[in-house]
């Protein structure tokens, strides 16, 4: 997988950018790099990478704005934030915008590569398919989501979660099942992340009536068409 996997490294520090790029190439990845937010958006648009390693502090715009702009372009590429800022608020902001992971500098290179490969396993492509429930549609091949014909911007993790819910439309799935299928075996964090991402999806998908994502207390979640 690695030899065909293209990573985009975005960091304004030349030494960090060059050393990290060299290490990732040595690990077998194809790597391009950018020093500014503008360069990052242009690079991701011209040749979409399989994953972006993105520094939060950039000279023109911060990494959060880069993610916003990529989502506006309907790019659901996975994002791993690299930053010297370890505040909880920054982590929440990054994850809410669709980051798949958040690594604080200085970091262990072996661990970073392991996290990259874990994200890539989770976001591996699936056969093209179009799923629909009510006015909600998900194009797996085009990596696009629409509600009543209007585009809905979602992160890579949100896309996987929504796809799993839609594949099981009308069936209640537990948090454990969601963790296993969306985050898989490499996830070692708090199971409440499921609630957090369900909340993110609701804000994006259920902005109009009828609501499609429902909580079944004590059991899990279900996405279903409105009852007539």
């Amino acid at each position: 997988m690695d030899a065909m996997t293209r990573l985009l490294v975005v960091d304004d520090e030349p030494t960090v950018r060059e050393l990290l790029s060299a290490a990732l190439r040595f690990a077998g990845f194809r790597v391009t790099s950018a020093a500014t937010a503008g360069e990052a958006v242009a690079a991701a648009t011209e040749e979409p990478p399989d994953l972006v390693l993105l520094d939060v502090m950039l000279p023109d715009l911060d990494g959060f704005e880069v993610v916003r702009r990529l989502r506006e372009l309907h790019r659901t590429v996975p994002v791993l934030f690299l930053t010297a800022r370890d505040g909880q608020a920054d982590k929440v902001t990054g994850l809410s915008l669709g980051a798949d992971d958040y690594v604080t500098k200085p970091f262990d290179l072996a661990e970073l590569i392991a996290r990259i490969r874990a994200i890539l396993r989770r976001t591996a492509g699936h056969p093209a398919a179009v799923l629909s429930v009510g006015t909600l549609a998900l194009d797996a091949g085009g990596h696009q989501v629409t509600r009543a014909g209007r585009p809905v911007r979602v992160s890579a993790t949100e896309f996987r979660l929504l796809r799993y819910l839609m594949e099981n439309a009308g069936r209640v799935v537990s948090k454990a099942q969601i963790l296993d299928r969306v985050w898989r075996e490499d996830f070692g964090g708090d199971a409440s992340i499921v609630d957090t991402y369900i909340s993110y999806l609701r804000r994006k998908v259920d902005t109009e009536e009828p609501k499609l994502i429902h909580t079944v207390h004590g059991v899990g979640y279900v996405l279903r068409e409105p009852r007539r």
Side-chain angles (χ1 to χ4, degrees):
M1 173 179 69
D2 293 354
M4 298 299 293
T5 302
R6 195 173 82 86
L7 307 181
L8 173 60
V9 174
V10 186
D11 199 302
D12 65 326
E13 298 180 41
T15 301
V16 173
R17 187 173 64 251
E18 292 164 11
L19 289 176
L20 181 55
S21 296
L24 292 172
R25 289 190 184 101
F26 184 76
F29 296 102
R30 295 167 55 212
V31 182
T32 56
S33 63
T36 67
E39 290 177 6
V41 173
T45 302
E46 291 168 10
E47 188 179 355
D50 296 293
L51 184 143
V52 178
L53 290 94
L54 179 60
D55 188 17
V56 171
M57 301 298 291
L58 296 171
D60 46 352
L61 299 169
D62 64 29
F64 301 141
E65 184 60 29
V66 172
V67 175
R68 290 188 185 96
R69 295 194 177 194
L70 290 177
R71 300 310 181 223
E72 287 173 358
L73 295 169
H74 308 302
R75 305 292 183 187
T76 54
V77 58
V79 174
L80 189 157
F81 274 121
L82 301 174
T83 181
R85 294 160 52 168
D86 61 356
Q88 188 66 24
D90 286 335
K91 293 182 181 180
V92 170
T93 299
L95 291 172
S96 67
L97 287 172
D100 291 82
D101 207 343
Y102 202 109
V103 177
T104 303
K105 299 176 182 177
F107 49 79
D108 178 80
L109 188 59
E111 178 186 353
L112 177 64
I113 291 174
R115 291 196 184 199
I116 290 170
R117 287 176 173 151
I119 294 172
L120 291 169
R121 285 196 302 273
R122 294 200 304 264
T123 57
H126 299 275
V130 176
L131 302 171
S132 61
V133 177
T135 59
L136 177 66
L138 180 147
D139 180 351
H143 234 67
Q144 294 181 336
V145 176
T146 59
R147 180 82 195 260
R150 294 187 296 275
V152 178
R153 295 193 298 271
V154 295
S155 71
T157 300
E158 290 165 350
F159 188 90
R160 292 194 307 276
L161 174 56
L162 182 59
R163 176 170 178 155
Y164 182 60
L165 292 173
M166 293 182 73
E167 286 175 336
N168 291 276
R171 173 173 171 260
V172 180
V173 290
S174 67
K175 286 186 187 180
Q177 289 173 311
I178 293 172
L179 284 172
D180 181 63
R181 293 300 299 273
V182 178
W183 279 268
R184 299 187 184 175
E185 74 284 348
D186 48 83
F187 179 75
D190 190 337
S192 66
I193 193 170
V194 174
D195 303 316
T196 301
Y197 271 85
I198 288 288
S199 176
Y200 295 158
L201 272 183
R202 280 176 165 150
R203 292 175 200 165
K204 296 180 178 182
V205 169
D206 274 347
T207 56
E208 61 184 60
E209 296 292 343
K211 307 300 184 186
L212 299 176
I213 301 174
H214 305 273
T215 300
V216 180
H217 294 289
V219 184
Y221 297 97
V222 60
L223 187 148
R224 62 171 176 251
E225 292 191 55
R227 290 171 178 162
R228 299 182 184 278

